[in-house]
Every structure is written in structure tokens, then in C-alpha cells.
Amino acid sequence: MNKISVSLWGMLSIIFAISATLAVAGTLPLPEYPRPEMVRSEWLCLNGQWDFAFDFSNSGEEKGMPQGKGFDKKIIVPFAPESPLSGIGFLDFMNSVWYKREIRIPQNWQGKRILLHFEASDYKTTAWVNGKKVGEHEGGYTPFSFDITDYLKPTENLLVVKVFDEPRSGLQPSGKQSPRLESYSCLYRRTTGIWQTLWMEPVEDVHIQSYRVIPDADNGEANVLVYLNRAPEDGELNLQVTFGGEKKFNASKKAEKINYFQVKIKDPELWGIRQPHLYEMEIIYAKDKQIADKVSGYFGLRKIEIIGNKIFLNNRPLFMRLVLDQGFYPDGIYTAPSDEALKRDIEISLGLGFDGARLHQRIFERRFLYWADKLGYIVWGEFADWGLDLSRPESFLVFAKEWTEAMERDRSHASLIGWCPLNEKWGNIFTGVVESIFRLTKLLDPTRPAIDASGGYHFISPDIYDSHNYEQDAEKFRQAFNGLLQSPAKVYIGGGEEKNVPYQGQPYFVSEYGGIWWNPGQKDEKAWGYGARPRTTEEFIQRYKELTEALLSNPQVAGFCYTQLYDIEQEVNGLYTFGRKPKFDPGIFRRINQQKAAIEK
């Protein structure tokens, strides 16, 4: 077992009994609607207690498991079997895992198409309904759906799910999941199987599949694309937009597979940091003057732009005050124990004086981005690329599929201001893979800046040039970036300068720094952070202040990202503990972080 601490695991063992009791009592874990950017009124949450089984030999299909045979355990979905909240808590590798439960389709759903939705399941997921295979999906971080209508019976139905996971294969993006038995360094407990909400909803044969919003803040417009699942023979599509209960836009048109609305808004309120002005909208597809489908959503009007070496948000210079958030929890690992916990992490960050986060080495839940939109919190969208062997040419195909799904899911969020598909890439990479990933990113979303690979080498000129620097001596740290003040500018890269594309005067972002080790009283020999541990609270705060002010005071630096928001297992360099308790007075960091940056003046 990972030696995080005996006391921690002792405490978490209690949660096994609690979670099982809640499931039996009928309390639904994570009952919130999982797709808040596109809401339908009718849906059914499938979270809760399921039958469960390990399949270490990956022979479950031969043993009749798709037909419901061989299940000997219980699990609380959507918590991964490694987590205490699942009721399993198994920390070794699991080649395959199986889930089973009975599902009943509500009577008023009869005659409609029934969609089975997985918000995320790691890694290759296959589903059977009543013993018949309904579909499969590869990828551990993005949502997917199966139309199960033709496999259903009128009353009870058997739903079986298999998830295959091999994070050591080199062909699975696995982020910070440890490739060893135990956690070590900055790699942590794994997440296998279903780890986000599983749910169903009824739709008509022709229905609204998705939408995309491209804001034009300067002109007070939102360009809205609404996609139906297929081209309708007839019908009408209506879009209504309101703000604060007041109608701002209403238009209808003949329904097509792809529908475009130019939403003009008089006296627009722009979305900004800590100013989360959001417009609500309702999309209705009607056929024969009867509503066939209706969804509600929202969007924010805001502008992100690069001019020279500056980033502008809503035409004002932006210094990015960010923190590294890796999305781990003591009891749920990848899965937050509650929706409130997702919101609370953002509130903690804002309270520390950060304006946003790098959502690091994983795709966060849709509801996290919803809260970022609602609270006025900027984020960078990243991917869990660690674990994927980029020296193999086929890695691009693996990466491109899931990265495309992630970008298409998230690109309408006002809070999301940039994309960074890769992290710390050096050395043995197949020629052209990084460049192709960057070009794909810009093709899918030309409206936001992108970084090819954060830290490590830059293989192609990014929109924002960045580096990682964990130097703990404040004066050496400051000197590392003084080259930006020279003409021509000399940038800190952190090694391998000859392998990087040259700096071309774009915004410069110190996207990882700090990581100051602070865990007084902890005896775990595996605990670590960056550099020598400060001896006192005062020394820690002074070091933080000097490192951060070195970046705020440099007129050529466009942002920072401090490592990190909270401890994770053995990595104890957070400003909060893993259990989300403050190590210091948050107001101290808020006052330091919120100082005006030189580049903003």
C-alpha cells in the first residue's frame, strides 16, 4: 500500500462503511445534472450501488459476464475501485473490471430514443444491454454515449459494462496515474473504470446534439451554431437569449442539420475575472408546431487576444495569476466527493488571490468548468498526455481522437482562455507529432491561444512562450528572467536551448514555479517538495513573496502558475493540505498575488 500516512488511510477506511450505508439508504452520490451547459428536463442518474467484479485475466466475456454471470462484489458508482468512496479500495493494477445493474425505463419514455451517457470511464469501455453489445469507446477522460433503444425490453433490463485499463502500455494517456504499484514523486494513485456520472435521457429521432458559441465582444455579438443529430425533413429551430430575466434575443428559422444564429445584444455585459456575467439561452426544435426537443444553456461574452508580448482580456492587459490544480481528492482520487467540492476548490483558489488555474494533466469534469464560468475563474484546458509514448507514430492517432473530443466538449466555456495539449516534452518524440498536435489544436479552435508543450522543449512557435522554473533562491530566480529585458530578448528555457524554436517576442509565461515544500510534523519518508524546506512559517512566506514578486515586477512576464493549490498524497508543496485545510492565512497570499503586475501598467 502507498505509504501516504497510516493515519490518513485509517481515517479513510471509515468512509467504506459510510459510502455503503449511503448507497443502501438510497442516497445518490453526485446527483447533479452532469451536462450543465446543455440541460434537458428529463434524465435518469445511474450513480449508486452496482454489482462489480475484477477480471485480472481479461477473460470475462468467455465466462459469460456480459450475460450477468460471475459478479461477486458491490461498488459505488461513479467512484473508481481504487478509491475509498467506491467501497472497494483496491490499489493494485486491474486489467479489466466489470459492472452490472438492472435498469428500468420510465413509462413516459416509451417511443423515444434512449441514450446511455458516460461522462468519463478509463480506459476502453464496452457496454451490453440484455446480453447484447451496444457499443464501445476508447479514452479515459471524455464523455460518450450509446443509443440503447433497440436493445431494451419494456420492463427490467440488464446493463453490463466492462472497462479495460492498461496504463503501462504506452498507448494510453494516463496523466499523473502512477505506472508503478505505489505512488511516487509527482505520480499518484490510479483511476480505473467509471469515474464520472453515468446517466440516461430520452430524445426524439431528430434532436439537438450540441451547440457552439463563438463570442464577439467588440460587436456585442455571439455566433451560435446549433447541431442536430441529423438533417430533419421539416421543422423549425428557435433560439431565445435572456440576461437577468430580460429577453435579449429571439429568432426562429427552418431547421437544418447545422444552424447558425447571429445573436446581437444591445449594451452587452462582458464576462470577466470575478465578474461572471452569463447569458442564458433556450433552444427549441419544433415539428408540426409541437416541441420535439428543448435544451437550456448559457454563454459569456468575452475576448481573449494577443498583441505583441501582452495578453488582453476584454481589451485590457491581463497578467495571468494562476495556480496548478491537478484534480485529486483523498477519498475519490479523480472523482470529487461532491459538486460542492468542485466549487470549493475554485473558491479556495480565488481566496488565495489566484484568478484561475492550469487544469493539469487531466480533463476536468464539465461541472468544474460550469463553476469556473459561474464564479469568474479563468482556466487553461490541458490533456493527460503523460503515459502516451510519443516516440511511436501511432500515438498521434490515439491523442488526436480524445483531444478532439475534449476540445469539442469545452470550447464554448467563457472561463477557458487557452489550450495546452502537452506537458514537459523532451527527447525521444516521433518527428512531427508535437507539431501536428499543435496544428490540430489551432484548427479546432483558432479563437484561443495555444501552447505546444508546457515546459520542456518548444517544437513549434507557440502563441505564448512558457517555461518551468523551480529555483528556490529568489535572486537566482529573478536573474533567470532578466534576459527578457535585453534587446534582443534572451529567454529562460530551462535547458536544451538549441533544440527549442526561437522566442519571437510573444507573451512569456512562467507556467510552473514555486512548489515550496511545507509539511512540518509529517514523518512519511516519501514526502517531498521542491528545494530545501523553509525552517519557519515566516521563511516560507518570504520565499513565496520574493519568487512571486520577481515575476510580477518583470515588465516582460505575462503570467505565472504556482505549484500548487493543495498537497497530493506524498507531494506536499500545496498552499492547502490534501484535505483542503489552509496551511497559512490565505489573505497573505491574496495580498501578494493581487499586486498590480508591471505588464498591466
Side-chain angles (χ1 to χ4, degrees):
M1 178 177 285
N2 184 350
K3 299 176 183 177
I4 297 173
S5 75
V6 174
S7 60
L8 174 62
W9 286 114
M11 176 187 71
L12 293 182
S13 64
I14 300 172
I15 298 174
F16 291 129
I18 295 174
S19 59
T21 300
L22 290 176
V24 171
T27 302
L28 204 63
L30 297 168
E32 295 81 11
Y33 192 84
R35 190 184 59 200
E37 74 277 11
M38 196 178 99
V39 177
R40 286 191 176 93
S41 60
E42 289 189 280
W43 71 293
L44 183 63
C45 183
L46 298 179
N47 293 343
Q49 189 177 79
W50 289 52
D51 292 321
F52 180 79
F54 295 117
D55 182 11
F56 297 111
S57 59
N58 196 31
S59 57
E61 293 183 52
E62 299 172 62
K63 296 175 181 176
M65 297 187 79
Q67 289 73 42
K69 300 177 182 178
F71 289 80
D72 58 351
K73 293 177 174 59
K74 302 289 183 183
I75 191 170
I76 307 301
V77 170
F79 300 109
E82 291 92 342
S83 72
L85 287 178
S86 71
I88 302 291
F90 185 80
L91 296 179
D92 209 332
F93 290 89
M94 291 168 268
N95 190 263
S96 295
V97 292
W98 290 76
Y99 303 79
K100 180 182 75 169
R101 68 164 286 171
E102 297 287 336
I103 56 174
R104 285 179 173 270
I105 307 303
Q107 187 62 37
N108 64 332
W109 290 14
Q110 300 301 321
K112 297 184 178 182
R113 307 303 299 181
I114 309 302
L115 302 182
L116 175 66
H117 295 286
F118 294 76
E119 285 299 295
S121 178
D122 194 4
Y123 177 72
K124 181 179 178 179
T125 304
T126 309
W128 291 262
V129 172
N130 297 320
K132 296 181 179 179
K133 182 177 175 181
V134 298
E136 63 183 24
H137 174 268
E138 289 191 12
Y141 297 89
T142 50
F144 56 95
S145 304
F146 303 133
D147 185 335
I148 62 173
T149 314
D150 296 337
Y151 305 89
L152 293 170
K153 298 176 182 177
T155 54
E156 290 190 354
N157 295 272
L158 178 67
L159 172 60
V160 174
V161 177
K162 172 193 174 185
V163 187
F164 175 84
D165 189 27
E166 181 43 81
R168 296 173 292 186
S169 68
L171 285 176
Q172 278 187 211
S174 55
K176 291 296 191 80
Q177 299 183 64
S178 175
R180 302 180 188 171
L181 177 61
E182 292 189 344
S183 301
Y184 68 99
S185 183
C186 60
L187 295 160
Y188 322 115
R189 285 173 292 165
R190 290 172 295 280
T191 288
T192 298
I194 298 168
W195 65 275
Q196 286 186 37
T197 291
L198 188 61
W199 56 294
M200 297 190 300
E201 67 175 345
V203 295
E204 299 292 343
D205 288 339
V206 178
H207 58 271
I208 300 161
Q209 183 168 284
S210 63
Y211 67 82
R212 182 182 182 188
V213 179
I214 305 171
D216 181 355
D218 285 341
N219 293 306
E221 296 178 0
N223 300 287
V224 181
L225 292 166
V226 180
Y227 303 90
L228 302 185
N229 66 310
R230 61 181 175 86
E233 295 180 1
D234 54 17
E236 185 177 73
L237 201 67
N238 173 257
L239 174 64
Q240 298 179 37
V241 176
T242 59
F243 184 81
E246 181 182 347
K247 187 177 292 186
K248 294 291 183 178
F249 179 86
N250 185 24
S252 297
K253 59 174 52 184
K254 182 181 181 299
E256 308 285 351
K257 180 175 174 55
I258 302 175
N259 306 269
Y260 169 67
F261 293 90
Q262 186 179 28
V263 179
K264 293 182 177 290
I265 298 174
K266 185 179 179 181
D267 300 323
E269 295 279 358
L270 300 188
W271 184 96
I273 296 169
R274 295 180 177 83
Q275 295 179 321
H277 300 303
L278 294 172
Y279 289 83
E280 296 181 347
M281 64 180 179
E282 187 174 75
I283 307 169
I284 298 174
Y285 168 58
K287 185 177 179 182
D288 299 326
K289 297 185 178 181
Q290 298 292 318
I291 294 177
D293 194 14
K294 179 170 69 173
V295 301
S296 60
Y298 68 90
F299 64 87
L301 284 178
R302 64 104 182 92
K303 178 183 180 183
I304 188 78
E305 182 182 27
I306 289 174
I307 302 175
N309 71 334
K310 292 186 177 183
I311 304 166
F312 289 80
L313 178 63
N314 298 334
N315 299 319
R316 293 183 178 181
L318 169 68
F319 184 92
M320 297 184 295
R321 296 167 174 82
L322 307 183
V323 70
L324 200 74
D325 188 345
Q326 305 196 70
F328 278 78
Y329 298 87
D331 45 6
I333 309 181
Y334 262 178
T335 312
S338 68
D339 191 58
E340 182 61 30
L342 294 175
K343 179 184 179 185
R344 178 62 180 148
D345 281 352
I346 296 174
E347 291 173 334
I348 286 172
S349 180
L350 289 169
L352 289 162
F354 297 109
D355 296 332
R358 282 184 65 199
L359 305 183
H360 191 50
Q361 277 297 303
R362 55 161 283 199
I363 302 296
F364 278 53
E365 297 90 330
R366 294 198 241 210
R367 291 199 64 88
F368 185 96
L369 291 177
Y370 164 75
W371 285 117
D373 291 339
K374 292 278 286 184
L375 296 172
Y377 187 71
I378 58 175
V379 300
W380 275 77
E382 300 192 16
F383 190 58
D385 66 283
W386 284 15
L388 184 61
D389 183 359
L390 296 184
S391 71
R392 301 165 68 169
E394 63 268 37
S395 66
F396 174 74
L397 299 177
V398 175
F399 191 103
K401 174 185 176 295
E402 195 168 3
W403 182 235
T404 298
E405 292 174 351
M407 290 189 65
E408 289 180 342
R409 189 197 79 171
D410 293 343
R411 60 189 176 185
S412 289
H413 285 280
S415 58
L416 199 152
I417 65 163
W419 300 105
C420 185
L422 301 165
N423 184 68
E424 293 184 349
K425 292 302 164 194
W426 295 283
N428 189 21
I429 295 177
F430 193 82
T431 302
V433 167
V434 175
E435 296 90 331
S436 296
I437 289 170
F438 180 80
R439 293 188 183 102
L440 173 65
T441 303
K442 296 299 294 184
L443 180 66
L444 289 170
D445 186 5
T447 72
R448 289 178 175 87
I451 298 172
D452 58 333
S454 181
Y457 300 150
H458 288 299
F459 294 78
I460 188 172
S461 187
D463 297 323
I464 295 174
Y465 212 93
D466 82 323
S467 68
H468 299 174
N469 187 336
Y470 284 109
E471 173 61 55
Q472 299 294 302
D473 183 281
E475 185 54 35
K476 290 180 180 178
F477 185 73
R478 184 186 300 274
Q479 290 294 329
F481 304 108
N482 280 348
L484 289 164
L485 306 176
Q486 300 175 10
S487 183
K490 178 176 174 58
V491 299
Y492 171 83
I493 295 172
E497 283 81 355
E498 73 284 353
K499 297 183 180 180
N500 281 268
V501 295
Y503 175 66
Q504 297 180 348
Q506 60 265 65
Y508 187 86
F509 175 30
V510 183
S511 53
E512 288 185 30
Y513 82 106
I516 306 171
W517 184 342
W518 187 252
N519 65 325
Q522 185 173 355
K523 304 301 183 183
D524 187 350
E525 70 276 11
K526 291 183 65 177
W528 72 282
Y530 291 94
R533 273 181 280 194
R535 288 161 294 184
T536 65
T537 297
E538 292 74 20
E539 185 181 338
F540 181 103
I541 293 168
Q542 185 63 23
R543 187 188 301 181
Y544 182 95
K545 182 176 186 293
E546 291 179 357
L547 292 173
T548 301
E549 288 181 348
L551 302 177
L552 285 165
S553 64
N554 190 317
Q556 300 300 317
V557 173
F560 64 64
C561 180
Y562 183 80
T563 302
Q564 59 184 326
L565 185 57
Y566 45 79
D567 296 343
I568 304 176
E569 299 185 14
Q570 68 278 350
E571 188 173 359
V572 288
N573 49 25
L575 297 178
Y576 273 60
T577 68
F578 199 13
R580 295 353 188 232
K581 301 295 182 184
K583 297 182 179 181
F584 315 92
D585 175 5
I588 295 171
F589 303 99
R590 183 167 62 250
R591 289 187 288 273
I592 296 170
N593 293 334
Q594 284 297 308
Q595 296 176 84
K596 198 170 188 67
I599 205 168
E600 294 174 307
K601 297 176 182 177

